[in-house]
Amino acid sequence: MAARAMNPVQALSDAAPRPYWLDDPSRPEALPALVGDEHCDLLVVGGGYSGLWTALLAKERDPGRDVVLIEAQETGWAASGRNGGFCSASLTHGWANGAARWPDELTTLNKLGLQNLDDIEATLARHGIDCDFERTGEIDIATAPHQVHELQEAAEELDALGITGYEYLDRDALRAEVHSPTFLAGLWDRDGVAMLHPARLAWGLKRACTELGVRIYEHTPGTELSSRAAGIAVRTPYGRVYARHAALGTNAFPSLVKRVRPYIAPVYDYALMTEPLNAEQLDAVGWKGRQGLGDAANHFHYFRITPDHRILWGGYDIVYHYGGGVRAEYDHHPATYQKLAEHFFRCFPQLEGVRFTHAWGGAIDTCSRFSAFFGTAHGGKVAYALGYTGLGVGATRFGADVMLDLLSGKRTERTELEMVRSKPLPFPPEPVRSMGIGITQWSMTKADENGGRRNLWLKAMDKVGLGFDS
C-alpha cells in the first residue's frame, strides 16, 4: 500500500516534470536532421498526428507519391505525446457544438466522424500499431445539480436527432461504473470514443510512414515558405525542401501561412499521472469498463485509467500567455498541479495516500469555434488544417484527408461541407485578446458557481460565435 500523503502537495513531491507517455522505453531514437536540399511531390510540415496522418494517407492513396516530412523537434513530442489519449469520433468538439454551428450537416458530420474512428482502428490493425487502443467510450459526468438537468436534456435531444450510441446514467448507475461521492449522473457515449497511448500512436504512425517510403527529418523546423513556378520551397536551418505541394500540420505553433495566425490562440493544459493502483485501491474505485471520463463544468477535468492501473487527471485550468507564445517554460505550472491534486482527492477521497509520478503540460491550438478549420494558400499549392482545440487525436486523421482532397483540387463529400468551407472568427490582436480571454475565463468560472447561468458577456460571445475552450 502506498504511503499515506498528508496533503496534495506531498502527493506531488516525487512527480517527474515530464509527460508520462514520452517517458517510455519504446520511444524511438530521433532521425537525422535535413542537411542540404530535398525534392519531393508532397512536403508535410509537422510530425504530430496531423502531419503523420497526412503523410501516411498520401502514400496509401498513391504509393508512388514522393513524400517528405519535417519536424522541428521529435515526432510526437508536442501535443501528440502529451494529451490524455481520448480518441473521439467527434469532428466538431462534441455533438452540441456541431448542432449549434452546422445543424444541417450534423447527421453527415456524425457519420463521417464514426467512419473516421473505424478507419483509425483499421489502420492500427493493418500496420500493426500497438498503442493500447480500447474502444471504451466516454462518460460526461454531472457533479452539480444543474448539470444533471443538462445531461438529461442532452439525452433527449440526441434521441430526437436520431443520434444513437448514448446512454443516460442516473447516480446509482454511474457509480456502479466508477465510484466517486461527487458523481450525480452521466451521459455515456458508448461508441464514439477510444482510449489509447498517445505517444505510441505517434511512434507507430512514424514507423508506418517510413515503411511506406516517407522520408522523415527530425530536428528540422520549417522557417520560411515561398512560392516557385513549379511548386513551393520551405527553408530549414541547414537546407531547403522543394515540393509540388505542401501540407501544414503545425497546429499551436506559428503557421508558415502568416494570415491564418490570428485564428489560433495557443493555450496551455496540464495533467497529472498517479502511481499504479493496487488491488484494494482498484476495488475502491471500480472502473472496470475503463471508460474515459470528463465532468460537465465549463472548467472541466478529464480523466482515464491506463492499462497498468494508473489514473491520468488533467484539465480545469486553461492558461493563456500574453502574445500567444509557445515556449518550453510554459510546459509546467506548479499552481495548477497543486489545484489538480486537490481536485483529484476531492473526487476520489478513497485514494488518499496515492502519489503522482508525473506532472506536465502542453499547448493546445484553440480556435473560436472549438473545431478544426481548413484552407489553401499559394494558389492551391499549400493546404492547412488547425484549430482542433484539444480534440485532435481522432479528428486529425479527418483533417489529413481534407488537406489531401484540397491539394488534389477534386470536390469530395468532405470539401463540400460548410464546416470545411467556412472559417472561425479570428481572435482580436493584443491587448484586446488577453483582456477578452480573461473576461471569458472569469465568466465561465462564475457560470460554474451560479448553476450554469451564463452572464451577458458569455451570451454575447455565443451570439457572435466567438468562444474560448480547450
Side-chain angles (χ1 to χ4, degrees):
M1 184 111 177
R4 291 181 65 85
M6 298 300 294
N7 56 55
V9 175
Q10 287 183 328
L12 287 164
S13 61
D14 296 324
R18 56 182 178 270
Y20 167 78
W21 310 114
L22 298 177
D23 197 9
D24 189 303
S26 66
R27 181 174 182 171
E29 292 190 8
L31 295 172
L34 172 64
V35 177
D37 292 345
E38 260 282 18
H39 295 79
C40 59
D41 296 323
L42 174 66
L43 170 64
V44 178
V45 181
Y49 297 142
S50 186
L52 290 165
W53 279 119
T54 303
L56 182 66
L57 294 175
K59 291 295 286 187
E60 289 190 335
R61 288 186 180 198
D62 179 4
R65 182 182 297 178
D66 190 21
V67 180
V68 167
L69 183 150
I70 59 173
E71 161 56 40
Q73 297 290 332
E74 294 182 26
T75 301
W77 79 277
S80 299
R82 297 166 184 263
N83 63 81
F86 288 62
C87 186
S88 174
S90 177
L91 305 176
T92 61
H93 208 270
W95 70 269
N97 189 53
R101 298 181 186 277
W102 307 287
D104 295 338
E105 293 183 346
L106 187 61
T107 300
T108 300
L109 289 167
N110 186 63
K111 178 200 72 173
L112 291 173
L114 287 169
Q115 182 61 55
N116 184 63
L117 185 58
D118 289 342
D119 289 341
I120 289 172
E121 186 171 11
T123 301
L124 300 181
R126 186 166 64 252
H127 291 283
I129 297 173
D130 180 7
C131 60
D132 298 329
F133 185 93
E134 299 178 84
R135 203 148 174 178
T136 60
E138 179 182 4
I139 305 176
D140 288 335
I141 294 170
T143 58
H146 73 275
Q147 295 167 8
V148 176
H149 299 301
E150 289 171 357
L151 293 185
Q152 289 172 331
E153 291 174 356
E156 294 170 1
E157 189 170 349
L158 284 162
D159 185 61
L161 290 168
I163 297 177
T164 61
Y166 287 81
E167 179 183 355
Y168 176 77
L169 305 174
D170 63 19
R171 186 184 68 174
D172 291 342
L174 175 58
R175 293 186 184 183
E177 295 293 332
V178 188
H179 181 67
S180 167
T182 67
F183 291 178
L184 303 180
L187 185 61
W188 186 357
D189 178 359
R190 284 183 169 273
D191 302 326
V193 183
M195 296 291 104
L196 52 76
H197 187 302
R200 289 183 189 169
L201 172 60
W203 299 334
L205 291 173
K206 172 184 175 179
R207 175 183 56 78
C209 284
T210 58
E211 288 176 350
L212 291 180
V214 177
R215 299 191 298 286
I216 297 178
Y217 297 96
E218 296 182 314
H219 297 289
T220 304
T223 58
E224 182 184 352
L225 185 153
S226 58
S227 276
R228 296 172 60 83
I232 58 93
V234 171
R235 186 182 295 277
T236 71
Y238 306 114
R240 190 173 293 183
V241 183
Y242 299 93
R244 291 177 56 227
H245 295 106
L248 308 182
T250 50
N251 299 305
F253 297 90
S255 176
L256 291 175
V257 177
K258 294 181 180 180
R259 61 181 165 82
V260 305
R261 293 181 184 180
Y263 292 97
I264 293 296
V267 299
Y268 277 78
D269 176 57
Y270 299 91
L272 308 176
M273 185 70 86
T274 72
E275 64 190 347
L277 305 187
N278 61 34
E280 180 181 349
Q281 292 162 338
L282 287 170
D283 186 61
V285 296
W287 215 342
K288 294 181 176 61
R290 307 179 56 78
Q291 307 94 332
L293 305 177
D295 63 59
N298 289 309
H299 287 293
F300 62 91
H301 305 89
Y302 57 87
F303 39 121
R304 50 81 55 96
I305 193 163
T306 66
D308 62 347
H309 310 309
R310 301 169 182 265
I311 294 177
L312 178 145
W313 180 265
Y316 194 77
D317 276 348
I318 309 170
V319 180
Y320 173 78
H321 296 275
Y322 187 92
V326 181
R327 300 177 184 173
E329 57 263 36
Y330 298 158
D331 287 347
H332 299 286
H333 202 250
T336 296
Y337 296 154
Q338 181 173 340
K339 191 181 299 181
L340 285 173
E342 292 169 353
H343 294 175
F344 175 86
F345 290 112
R346 189 181 305 157
C347 180
F348 295 120
Q350 66 269 45
L351 296 182
E352 183 181 358
V354 167
R355 292 182 176 271
F356 299 102
T357 61
H358 295 76
W360 72 94
I364 293 173
D365 58 332
T366 294
C367 76
S368 64
R369 74 182 195 187
F370 313 144
S371 55
F373 63 94
F374 314 89
T376 60
H378 293 270
K381 293 180 287 189
V382 175
Y384 56 82
L386 65 165
Y388 292 96
T389 316
L391 219 66
V393 179
T396 45
R397 185 193 177 280
F398 175 83
D401 264 329
V402 171
M403 284 196 284
L404 292 172
D405 288 349
L406 292 173
L407 291 174
S408 75
K410 297 177 182 177
R411 295 172 63 176
T412 68
E413 183 179 29
R414 288 179 289 262
T415 62
E416 291 299 293
L417 291 166
E418 175 64 22
M419 174 197 173
V420 170
R421 293 186 290 111
S422 63
K423 294 281 193 301
L425 289 173
F427 291 103
E430 297 289 10
V432 177
R433 177 186 288 205
S434 289
M435 292 170 58
I437 288 173
I439 295 171
T440 302
Q441 293 260 48
W442 178 85
S443 299
M444 291 166 64
T445 300
K446 288 300 179 183
D448 285 337
E449 295 172 352
N450 296 324
R453 291 184 292 275
R454 297 171 76 80
N455 63 16
L456 292 176
W457 176 267
L458 292 180
K459 289 178 180 178
M461 295 299 100
D462 292 340
K463 188 172 183 179
V464 300
L466 184 64
F468 182 73
D469 204 349
S470 70

